């Protein structure tokens, strides 16, 4: 892939669904501080990401990168699986 000089956003999150073909749903958790009460809050955002080989399973920790729109709500691509999820 050619380098365009554009810095793409990256997120690390957990796969929470892999029911679709070549698509996974990744939950990214972040912490924000409440502007008035200064309490640390956990926020969860779900992204749909492209998984070309269907290699991700539920519970996997993945790194994904921003890409061109692939479908209506799929704008991310899984780059690598950082750790495999536990299978119980």
């Amino acid at each position: 892939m050619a380098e365009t000089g554009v810095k793409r956003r990256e997120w690390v999150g957990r796969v929470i669904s892999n029911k679709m073909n070549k698509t996974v749903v990744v939950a990214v958790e972040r912490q924000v501080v409440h502007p008035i009460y200064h309490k640390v809050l956990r926020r969860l955002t779900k992204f749909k990401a492209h998984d070309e080989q269907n290699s991700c399973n539920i519970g996997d920790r993945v790194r994904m990168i921003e890409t061109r729109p692939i479908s209506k709500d799929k704008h991310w691509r899984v780059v690598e699986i950082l750790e495999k999820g536990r299978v119980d």
Side-chain angles (χ1 to χ4, degrees):
M1 193 162 88
E3 184 63 38
T4 60
V6 177
K7 177 66 177 152
R8 295 184 177 191
R9 293 184 290 174
E10 289 185 1
W11 285 108
V12 174
R14 292 241 176 244
V15 175
I16 57 173
S17 173
N18 64 348
K19 301 286 187 203
M20 295 170 275
N21 187 29
K22 295 188 178 182
T23 303
V24 291
V25 179
V26 180
V28 175
E29 190 173 289
R30 59 192 172 89
Q31 293 182 338
V32 295
V33 178
H34 192 279
I36 295 174
Y37 301 116
H38 306 293
K39 179 178 178 166
V40 177
L41 306 170
R42 289 174 17 176
R43 293 286 181 238
L44 188 89
T45 308
K46 293 191 283 187
F47 296 102
K48 287 183 184 167
H50 187 67
D51 177 22
E52 185 64 39
Q53 280 82 34
N54 280 328
S55 56
C56 294
N57 292 314
I58 295 175
D60 290 356
R61 202 163 141 253
V62 298
R63 184 167 62 92
M64 58 185 186
I65 192 168
E66 190 175 31
T67 186
R68 64 177 179 81
I70 297 169
S71 69
K72 178 185 172 185
D73 49 3
K74 189 162 65 165
H75 308 269
W76 297 87
R77 186 178 72 237
V78 173
V79 178
E80 66 177 318
I81 299 173
L82 300 172
E83 89 184 30
K84 287 298 216 178
R86 287 183 31 202
V87 178
D88 290 342

